[in-house]
Amino acid sequence: MLKKIFFLSIITFCFACKSVDKISKYNASITTDKHAVADLKKDVDFTHTLLKDGHPGLYWYISKQKLDYKFDSLKNSIVEPLTSAEFYKKLTPVVAAIKCGHTSVKFPAIQYKKEELKDLSKKTFPINQFTYSINNDKLYVLESKSENKSIRPGTEIVAIEGINTQSILNDFYKLISSDGYNTTHNSRSLERNFAQYFKIYYQIKDSVNFQFRTVKDSIGETYITTLKKSKADTSKNQIKSKQARYPKYVGQYKDGKAQMDFRFLDEKRNYGYLKIQSFSIVGADYSRFYKQVFDSIAKVGTDHLVIDLRGNGGGSLEHSRNLFSYLTDKDFVYLQKSLTNGQYDYRKYGNKWQRFMYFINGHDDRDYVRQDKNGNLYSFMKGIYPLSANPKNFKGKLYVLIDGYTFSAASLLSANLKGINRATFIGEETGGGFNQCVAGNLPVVKLKNSKLAIRFGLYKMSPNAKSDVVGRGIFPDVEITSSLNDKITGCDREIDWILNNGNG
């Protein structure tokens, strides 16, 4: 323990002493500096070797021959020095070709001094003043914080900085990793992350030129400038005080919305509605929330329960698994064995901090790997052996709402429910695969020269259920896709279908 405290104190001191010059030098290295051809090719080789060593599903959806060819072609295409952003545009599509939604290239964040961060917190840059919707391969404004009141929800964005949005969307789609041959995840992911991709491609600007299609079908052009946030913003408190929910605990609020929500959809309280935005809400007490939810359901005798997993990108296996225990009345196995290559070694691939923590703790991920009688390497995770159903499990009619952003642990929950024919699924195909994904432990490994980073999973995560359709997600029993007008007006056609067809 003394050794840990001593070294942690040294690390803290070193970070505190980081000079302004080093910050400026680092920022230049990821924005304006061009990296030598030989250095970039080393990063390509390192990425390829890293994935071959650590990724247990590298060739599920692409052959070794084709992937090797893509990496070789990438190296041959680098004939002049490139910035980190230029290299990102070349490397990311190759990594995305693996078709693993948990495997991606991360762009490094610019570092700021304390005063700069304080100033940035008061600004909303132009590209962040809108939330976006993609419908029929066109880009629309879904919500606007802009001071330009003529830009209303539903306005089509035709071009940004003189580049037509079709071209922008096509470029950005190449950057997105999806599970297998899924058809819904890319657009949902791009809607959420459009601003982030735009910043990588075009960097942050205080003024951005937008072209919009007006209601009269003509093209309007305007500059959106950086917006200064008002000092007084009590919207969260106002929304919080107006909402009366069962149970009282809702985890936390984001943008005025409860991230864990339970309420009744009808006056008779015959339809319960459970919304979980994520299984990885920091600091949230999921066990407490689940207990209050199912205590409320039992108390009033609710017959129908809607679980809304739309937009749930996953998170903790534990929180997903524990929710499942409330939805079955039998002992259950949640996972097949989490197979792994067993080759990932922090001493070889980890950054300085990870190698330091290996020195402190004396182990890395390989130390948890076991071998079964058939020679397969796997890591023990709770759920690969039978678990008991929660005594307060719900026995009524169950509906699950899914969409293209239902991913990872949320897809795992959906697949297990589908496997026991427990629920009626409504919406669109999940973004996460039915049969498997690569997750569990997700190291992020920095590339030495370009400063980009590779994120990927170390374990094959498979539900205790299987689909005969390879490389796809969980399909809905009732397919409903919200229109742009539905999103703008708040019309929830999935909920409407349940209330009209639930026989409650």
Side-chain angles (χ1 to χ4, degrees), residues 93-104:
V94 175
V95 173
I98 298 167
K99 298 187 183 301
C100 171
H102 286 86
T103 302
S104 59

Side-chain angles (χ1 to χ4, degrees), residues 33 35 138 247 254-255 334 341 379 398 412 476 487 499-500:
D33 291 352
H35 308 291
K138 294 181 179 180
K254 184 178 180 181
D255 298 327
Y334 200 63
N341 289 354
S379 178
L398 183 65
L412 192 62
K487 296 175 185 178
L499 294 177
N500 292 327

Side-chain angles (χ1 to χ4, degrees), residues 477-492:
D477 300 299
V478 180
E479 186 173 3
I480 297 175
T481 300
S482 297
S483 68
L484 177 63
N485 189 59
D486 290 336
K487 296 175 185 178
I488 293 170
T489 60
C491 173
D492 196 325

Side-chain angles (χ1 to χ4, degrees), residues 149-219:
K149 301 306 177 186
S150 66
I151 304 170
R152 299 173 181 173
T155 300
E156 182 187 350
I157 303 172
V158 178
I160 306 175
E161 292 291 277
I163 306 167
N164 71 75
T165 51
Q166 187 62 64
S167 176
I168 293 173
L169 292 177
N170 288 339
D171 282 340
F172 290 178
Y173 277 134
K174 297 174 187 176
L175 309 177
I176 300 172
S177 299
S178 61
D179 277 356
Y181 313 111
N182 174 274
T183 61
T184 59
H185 178 67
N186 286 8
S187 59
R188 296 291 170 260
S189 181
L190 187 50
E191 285 175 342
R192 281 199 172 200
N193 301 305
F194 182 84
Q196 285 75 13
Y197 287 126
F198 190 88
K199 289 175 187 176
I200 294 171
Y201 255 67
Y202 305 106
Q203 299 189 358
I204 297 175
K205 296 181 180 180
D206 283 319
S207 180
V208 174
N209 179 269
F210 282 83
Q211 289 184 2
F212 300 100
R213 190 179 304 281
T214 67
V215 291
K216 296 181 179 179
D217 206 34
S218 59
I219 304 300

Side-chain angles (χ1 to χ4, degrees), residues 350-366:
N351 58 32
K352 291 180 180 178
W353 173 253
Q354 290 165 337
R355 293 196 295 271
F356 169 75
M357 292 309 295
Y358 172 83
F359 171 73
I360 292 294
N361 294 313
H363 64 76
D364 70 3
D365 194 74
R366 296 191 310 168

Side-chain angles (χ1 to χ4, degrees), residues 239-301:
I239 293 173
K240 196 170 182 178
S241 64
K242 288 179 181 178
Q243 291 173 332
R245 285 185 169 85
Y246 305 90
K248 294 181 179 179
Y249 181 75
V250 294
Q252 62 177 256
Y253 285 81
K254 184 178 180 181
D255 298 327
K257 298 178 182 178
Q259 297 299 284
M260 300 161 69
D261 183 14
F262 178 75
R263 49 193 165 87
F264 295 102
L265 298 175
D266 61 326
E267 292 183 1
K268 294 180 180 179
R269 299 184 183 180
N270 202 27
Y271 286 84
Y273 171 84
L274 170 59
K275 172 72 175 178
I276 300 177
Q277 195 63 46
S278 169
F279 289 115
S280 60
I281 302 169
V282 177
D285 190 339
Y286 287 84
S287 295
R288 177 185 173 192
F289 178 67
Y290 294 157
K291 183 180 184 304
Q292 290 186 4
V293 166
F294 290 96
D295 281 350
S296 299
I297 288 172
K299 185 175 181 179
V300 301

